[in-house]
Amino acid sequence: MAPPTVGGMLLSHGGEPSPTGGPVARWSVEQVLALAPDDASRTAGGRLGADTAWTGTGHDTAGAVWGLCGGSGGAAYRTVVDTTGPAYSCSCPSRKFPCKHALGLLLLRASDDAAFRPGEPPDWAAAWVGARRGRAAKEGGPATGGEAARGPADPAAARKRAERRAERVTGGAQELEQRLADLLRGGLAATDRAEYGLWEETAARMVDAQAPGLAARVRELGAITGSGPGWPARLLEECGLLHLLDTAWLGRERLPDPLAATVRTRVGLPVSPEGAPVRDHWLVLAQYDTPDGRIVARRIWLYGRESGRTALLLSFGAAGRSPAPALPVGATIDAELTPYPGGGQLRAELGEQFGTLAPAGPPPGIAASAAPAVYGDALREDPWLDARPVTLRDVIPVPVKDGWQLADAHADSALPIAPAAVSRPGLWKLVALSGGGPVTVFGEIGHRGFDPFAAWDPVQAEEGGGAPGGSIVPLV
Amino acid sequence: MPRTTGPTARTATTDAPSPAAAAAPTTDTAAARASVGSLPWEELVTSALLGTDRRPPAPRGGPAPVPADAPRALLDAAARHTVRQRAGLLPAVPGTRPEPAARDPRPALPEAARHRLARLLADRAAPSGSGRRGAAPDLTELIPQWLATANRQGYRAPAALLPALLDAARARTDLRPQALAFAGPRGLWLAGLNPDWKFALRGAASGALHPDVSDPEAVSRLWEEGLFAERVALLDAVRAQDPPAGLALLATTWPAERAEDRLMFLDSLRSGLGGDDEPFLERALSDRSRNVRATAAELLSALPESALAGRMAARAMSCVGPDRTGDTPSIAVEAPHECDAAMQRDGVAAVPPTGRGERSWWLGQLVEATPLGSWEERFGGRPAEEVVALPVADDWAGELHAAWCRAAVRQRNPRWSRALLGHPSAPPADGPGTASIAERSKLLAILDQAERASWVAEFIAAHGLSEAFQLLGVCTVPWAGPLGRAVVDALDIARDGGSYPWSFSGVMGLAERCLDPAEADRLEVLTAAQDEQEGASPGAGGYWSEAFQRLVSTLRLRAAMEAELLS
């Protein structure tokens, strides 16, 4: 799991209407629901997705949608959505983003085209849409990373600050080494006592040392103790890797550049996207949020049709707020991504978007037997990696004694499904889609097994409904 | 990844730049460290668990690291081992693949309908936090209707929605038959893999899947060897197709069945009950089990031509007859003084429930089992309405009318049901038959759909909605025009009466599900907020307008749902 790198994470989503002026793709209901910041908004938005809730609904050819939603009293809320962003504006006081009105409007748009009158936006909507488009046009080139753009004016002072921070991290790494050594000397068995408080205290010390990556790893160690049979072995593995990270940081001068960048990221130093932007047709494979302390981390996996690259958009939001932006699973966007530095790093930042494209099928997958090697190879560049994204072709979910496997439909090999995924409802969706036959699945392969994120409906693929290769079904 | 496949390290990663090498020690403890690295993983874990002070990580007889250095040497070795092990993971050996699900030949749902189902099911799984629903429709309540229409149209369930569908059916038993029919062979296949959905398999055994009754040999084999639930399903199926054949099947094994099973099988004879069953039922009156005897008697009494019905009629006639003492025709009642063995053999329970007198208890049972037609004869050929209207002596009216009601329901006699229901606009307490709403809804169920709807419509027009809930429950959906109009008018009147709409939430909820969607336009005018009426409860107008909005939007939604499925 990549550590949260707070800072440099704000994504500018200054979308621009499709320059070709072609028809803007309407989103499906699932895609809209995927934009909701939480379940409550999803439900509330769903209720507002009926035409009785709306008046004055309309859309223009460039992707703007608007409508008035009657509130619980008084004036109606004015809701505008620019679907090319997507970006939302609503006069309601909700702090959720997008709010239930924006979701309801998009849901209505997804389910009932006839409810929208094509034309020019009314004045109240035109002002916002115009301002947005004006801004997008003025910005011109690709949006650059917030951190880099807002970068300090004085390079010398910046270097000084970076050095000071590195010193503190070094202090933290040395302290952590000492604590690990003390722990090993006394034995891991000590951590199984209820009053054991070393993890929390150590994590706090690492936060003080401005090494959030180390802090997160230490906190995860605390969850391993007593986590079922074999926990001492798992704890020793993670202690070993933490020790490896410490020593790598302390000896970073002697590491090759990409590995050093990986170590900096893993320790938790702020990094900014750099390198040449990659423009491609990116298929949104998966989007899911995980709580990460008091903030929510959102991961969006993209696959570039032309480049064959897989990229990760990682963003963070404070509790109760949706990390921006959300992209609907199954959509294909024409956009530029700027990669982050580091060996084997898949994280990227979303730059300028040029429009949405017709839905397309799954990436060309690999056989189950080839998946472990993908992960193994990636460990060369990042030994702390827990998993690697991969699309599996023709696999069949198989129940086994203590869990599930994805078995190759044509060969005698299988991948165990990660324990965390076995207890998720998505597993049953995957099993249902398969019906005992082969499916294409996107997910992460790692040392805990395979974690499925999305699958393509094989029956639909066969019958030729929806997108070629079947429509994508999110499993997380 | 399973360790069973062996952490076979591929050399690929060992020549990768090692971050650990960057901090490689330069002291002469390097040799000791290297020997720690050669220890098997299990040794490393043991040493780590017990502590390097107690269990130094060293090979037997080999050089041990100095104690101060031992933890670091151990961590180095653990890191190396972990990365090597992870990099060298191999695929696992596949388990036995499940048998593929049977093909489902039904066509896929139209896209709009698929989205709709996804939303209905999602709403069930994540109901709104607040109890008040505002003006938005209650989507969960629409699932049954959606499923019924989809099944009528013969659509296949989308595979990705099967888990949510099975979860919904698990939570609500009333959804199960339709949900399982819709889920089809793949739903059943899926349920076989998840213990949470066991109920689906039970359903399959007890009748969701219809047993094949065309092959007599298979039928008799299943009857001889099947599980109890399978046998009940089989008997029901045979009985539905050919009642005498079902009876014959049951007769082959009847004496050998256990008493509880005999009771259940006897119950299966309710469908297609006819004169042919009488000899069998008559024999069952001498059954060893009291419950079997009682059920046989009940079934026989539903056959007006049966000998038992005749015997009961004779007993009842001796207790109830025209009173010839007064000037006006009326009914005299002389309840039985004993419950003899013959009565008990005919199913009369001798011991009354606590709080009831023996004699009235016996009388009730006699009248209940007496063919209703014989009363018309007894009272000089008067039609049912007149018999019911006759005054009854000595406060026996309640007992007698209640027994007639039960008889009308048991014998499914619409003529007497109508008579006992009386005129819908008459005040319930003055009715000839029964004032009880529960009894009335049972009587209504005997009448045909149109008559039922118009009776309830008139009842509502005369008495409002406060007692209509149960009566509306027996009317067919969607409500016929006059009934729907009566309900809407009554709601409108209730609003003008100034009370809060949640006093009528039961009827409102029914109306959302049962009103013909075509009524939506007529209802639209009611959604407008009205000025506060004098004497009205504060704020009631706003809530009413909201309730009507929800009614209209639910009706519109139902119309849209239907349209999506019919397109």
Side-chain angles (χ1 to χ4, degrees):
Chain A
M1 183 174 299
T5 53
V6 184
M9 70 199 182
L10 294 170
L11 293 145
S12 98
H13 42 102
E16 201 186 0
S18 169
T20 58
V24 176
R26 261 169 68 202
W27 292 356
S28 74
V29 172
E30 284 96 340
Q31 289 174 339
V32 175
L33 290 177
L35 300 172
D38 52 33
D39 275 348
S41 312
R42 202 164 292 137
T43 308
R47 290 188 206 300
L48 291 175
D51 65 352
T52 46
W54 294 90
T55 51
T57 45
H59 69 92
D60 70 8
T61 52
V65 185
W66 58 85
L68 298 168
C69 185
S72 39
Y77 295 128
R78 297 164 161 187
T79 311
V80 205
V81 180
D82 183 348
T83 56
T84 57
Y88 322 90
S89 166
C90 183
S91 60
C92 77
S94 168
R95 238 179 264 116
K96 293 209 174 139
F97 189 79
C99 67
K100 63 182 177 180
H101 305 104
L103 289 171
L105 185 67
L106 286 173
L107 281 174
L108 179 61
R109 175 90 178 114
S111 56
D112 190 0
D113 197 25
F116 289 82
R117 187 167 303 154
E120 287 304 309
D123 291 346
W124 56 267
W128 179 79
V129 172
R132 251 187 73 69
R133 288 179 186 157
R135 203 160 56 232
K138 229 184 300 165
E139 276 173 13
T144 43
E147 184 88 357
R150 292 194 308 269
D154 181 356
R159 200 166 53 239
K160 197 122 190 204
R161 269 203 304 278
E163 275 166 17
R164 265 207 304 278
R165 179 160 189 184
E167 272 166 34
R168 298 184 70 170
V169 172
T170 299
Q174 280 162 344
E175 181 182 346
L176 186 53
E177 272 299 274
Q178 193 52 51
R179 283 173 180 250
L180 281 176
D182 291 347
L183 175 65
L184 268 288
R185 193 169 296 120
L188 299 179
T191 63
D192 201 13
R193 288 183 210 123
E195 73 276 10
Y196 191 78
L198 184 102
W199 301 132
E200 273 313 310
E201 187 201 325
T202 310
R205 297 287 300 151
M206 293 306 110
V207 171
D208 291 345
Q210 293 192 303
L214 295 179
R217 279 190 171 266
V218 170
R219 235 176 269 122
E220 279 171 32
L221 289 183
I224 297 176
T225 299
S227 63
W231 70 262
R234 285 198 298 281
L235 185 55
L236 178 59
E237 285 180 0
E238 293 304 325
C239 285
L241 290 176
L242 185 53
H243 163 71
L244 186 68
L245 186 54
D246 280 338
T247 46
W249 169 261
L250 297 173
R252 64 189 181 284
E253 264 76 44
R254 279 166 284 163
L255 293 178
D257 279 350
L259 190 56
T262 300
V263 170
R264 277 198 297 277
T265 307
R266 288 286 177 193
V267 166
L269 291 190
V271 278
S272 308
E274 56 186 51
V278 184
R279 179 167 175 179
D280 203 339
H281 296 168
W282 299 97
L283 168 64
V284 183
L285 292 170
Q287 173 188 302
Y288 56 97
D289 296 345
T290 38
D292 197 343
R294 263 167 307 175
I295 55 175
V296 176
R298 167 165 293 172
R299 287 173 173 77
I300 302 176
W301 288 101
L302 301 174
Y303 171 77
R305 291 243 155 251
E306 310 295 324
S307 62
R309 283 172 82 129
T310 303
L312 171 66
L313 302 181
L314 181 61
S315 56
F316 300 92
R321 301 197 64 175
S322 165
L327 293 174
V329 171
T332 304
I333 52 171
D334 181 0
E336 274 182 354
L337 297 191
T338 312
Y340 276 72
Q345 176 69 263
L346 297 180
R347 188 177 172 196
E349 187 177 74
L350 184 60
E352 190 175 357
Q353 298 177 53
F354 304 97
T356 52
L357 292 101
I366 60 169
S369 57
V374 170
Y375 171 60
D377 286 344
L379 286 175
R380 286 158 171 259
E381 293 172 300
D382 183 356
W384 299 279
L385 200 63
D386 276 328
R388 192 79 172 164
V390 67
T391 302
L392 300 178
R393 196 178 53 212
D394 290 351
V395 285
I396 302 173
V398 175
V400 286
K401 199 173 103 263
D402 42 6
W404 283 79
Q405 289 178 336
L406 288 180
D408 193 308
H410 312 296
D412 205 25
S413 64
L415 302 174
I417 290 185
V422 168
S423 52
R424 269 204 313 260
L427 172 74
W428 290 104
K429 273 194 200 175
L430 176 60
V431 176
L433 284 173
S434 144
V439 270
T440 302
V441 186
F442 169 75
E444 274 191 317
I445 177 74
H447 59 90
R448 297 195 189 97
F450 185 84
D451 194 349
F453 292 162
W456 284 263
D457 188 344
V459 175
Q460 209 187 22
E462 188 187 315
E463 291 178 354
S471 63
I472 188 168
V473 178
L475 304 176
V476 280
Chain B
M1 277 304 142
R3 282 177 199 283
T4 53
T5 56
T8 318
R10 291 172 306 122
T11 50
T13 50
T14 50
D15 52 49
S18 161
T26 50
T27 63
D28 46 332
T29 57
R33 284 197 167 203
S35 77
V36 175
S38 69
L39 281 176
W41 173 246
E42 288 68 25
E43 293 282 324
L44 296 178
V45 174
T46 308
S47 178
L49 191 61
L50 300 177
T52 55
D53 283 353
R54 251 185 295 175
R55 175 74 69 96
R60 209 160 290 164
V66 285
D69 212 19
R72 237 155 253 179
L74 177 56
L75 286 168
D76 277 343
R80 214 161 19 240
H81 183 95
T82 303
V83 176
R84 195 163 56 210
Q85 201 267 10
R86 289 182 180 181
L89 288 169
L90 293 174
V93 177
T96 315
R97 294 178 172 86
E99 199 65 32
R103 241 187 81 75
D104 193 337
R106 294 177 292 178
L109 278 174
E111 203 185 333
R114 187 163 55 84
H115 295 318
R116 178 77 62 190
L117 177 62
R119 275 159 69 185
L120 296 181
L121 292 172
D123 194 68
R124 190 200 74 80
S128 69
S130 67
R132 218 171 69 78
R133 301 208 65 107
D138 183 351
L139 296 183
T140 308
E141 290 302 327
L142 300 179
I143 296 178
Q145 193 198 354
W146 191 98
L147 287 173
T149 314
N151 282 334
R152 266 200 310 279
Q153 297 298 112
Y155 283 120
R156 177 183 73 214
L161 293 179
L162 285 174
L165 185 65
L166 288 170
D167 281 343
R170 182 189 182 205
R172 279 185 55 172
T173 42
D174 61 318
L175 284 180
R176 286 182 189 176
Q178 292 282 11
L180 292 179
F182 183 56
R186 187 169 290 206
L188 205 57
W189 174 88
L190 191 64
L193 294 168
N194 187 339
D196 282 356
W197 299 327
K198 267 200 307 254
F199 70 88
L201 309 179
R202 277 202 302 275
S206 68
L209 289 188
H210 302 293
D212 182 16
V213 295
S214 58
D215 176 3
E217 217 161 286
V219 166
S220 81
R221 195 169 51 245
L222 183 60
W223 181 249
E224 302 279 341
E225 299 166 7
L227 301 170
F228 175 68
E230 289 171 329
R231 300 179 69 208
V232 171
L234 177 70
L235 181 58
D236 284 345
V238 174
R239 184 81 181 166
Q241 207 174 53
D242 181 358
L247 181 68
L249 187 68
L250 178 56
T252 56
T253 57
W254 177 255
E257 305 287 356
R258 299 181 313 145
E260 310 90 279
D261 296 0
R262 286 202 302 279
L263 186 63
M264 287 295 288
F265 290 140
L266 203 55
D267 217 47
S268 297
L269 297 185
R270 259 179 227 284
S271 73
L273 187 67
D276 290 347
D277 301 317
E278 192 187 345
F280 179 85
L281 293 171
E282 189 69 40
R283 278 197 303 282
L285 286 176
S286 319
D287 197 274
R288 295 186 298 279
S289 154
R290 194 168 57 86
N291 287 333
V292 172
R293 292 197 299 273
T295 305
E298 189 202 325
L299 289 174
L300 281 169
S301 69
L303 294 171
E305 309 298 317
S306 71
L308 177 131
R311 291 195 295 274
M312 296 301 263
R315 290 180 188 118
M317 297 302 142
S318 74
C319 298
V320 180
D323 187 343
R324 303 187 199 285
T325 55
D327 306 335
T328 50
S330 65
I331 301 178
V333 175
E334 177 69 24
H337 291 277
E338 58 166 353
C339 181
D340 59 28
M343 275 166 77
Q344 291 188 42
R345 182 178 182 274
D346 282 347
V348 178
V351 184
T354 336
R356 286 202 62 175
E358 278 183 333
R359 293 181 61 203
S360 71
W361 169 245
W362 296 330
L363 175 73
Q365 293 181 80
L366 294 182
V367 173
E368 187 180 348
T370 299
L372 287 160
S374 35
W375 297 112
E376 291 162 2
E377 239 169 78
R378 180 89 169 111
F379 292 101
R382 286 192 175 82
E385 297 77 45
E386 290 182 28
V387 176
V388 164
L390 288 173
V392 184
D394 304 331
D395 291 339
W396 281 105
E399 201 71 52
L400 186 60
H401 285 161
W404 276 337
C405 284
R406 292 198 298 276
V409 172
R410 185 188 287 189
Q411 297 167 28
R412 306 195 63 76
N413 187 323
R415 213 152 31 85
W416 275 77
S417 294
R418 209 172 290 133
L420 288 160
L421 278 166
H423 198 272
S425 58
D430 297 359
T434 170
S436 146
I437 293 292
E439 294 282 352
R440 285 172 167 227
S441 58
K442 281 188 204 152
L443 292 172
L444 274 171
I446 307 297
L447 304 181
D448 73 29
Q449 294 177 16
E451 193 178 353
R452 219 183 298 167
S454 65
W455 195 94
V456 177
E458 281 188 59
F459 180 88
I460 290 172
H463 311 299
L465 290 167
S466 45
E467 289 189 281
F469 181 75
Q470 214 169 358
L471 301 178
L472 284 167
V474 298
C475 295
T476 32
V477 176
W479 288 339
L483 177 57
R485 278 193 291 281
V487 171
V488 172
D489 289 347
L491 286 171
D492 196 14
I493 291 167
R495 171 180 56 179
D496 291 344
S499 49
Y500 286 115
W502 41 84
S503 315
F504 301 91
S505 59
V507 173
M508 264 300 187
L510 268 183
E512 285 165 14
R513 296 195 289 285
C514 307
L515 262 184
D516 192 325
E519 300 280 337
D521 291 334
R522 240 170 43 80
L523 274 163
E524 187 86 64
V525 290
L526 296 176
T527 61
Q530 286 197 332
D531 296 335
E532 206 90 319
Q533 307 251 340
E534 202 170 323
S537 312
Y543 289 122
W544 273 106
S545 134
E546 192 176 77
F548 279 117
Q549 272 173 32
R550 185 175 61 234
L551 181 54
V552 169
S553 60
T554 306
L555 294 182
R556 293 251 157 85
L557 192 61
R558 280 172 53 207
M561 271 168 40
E562 295 271 341
E564 285 160 3
L565 282 166
L566 301 182
S567 66

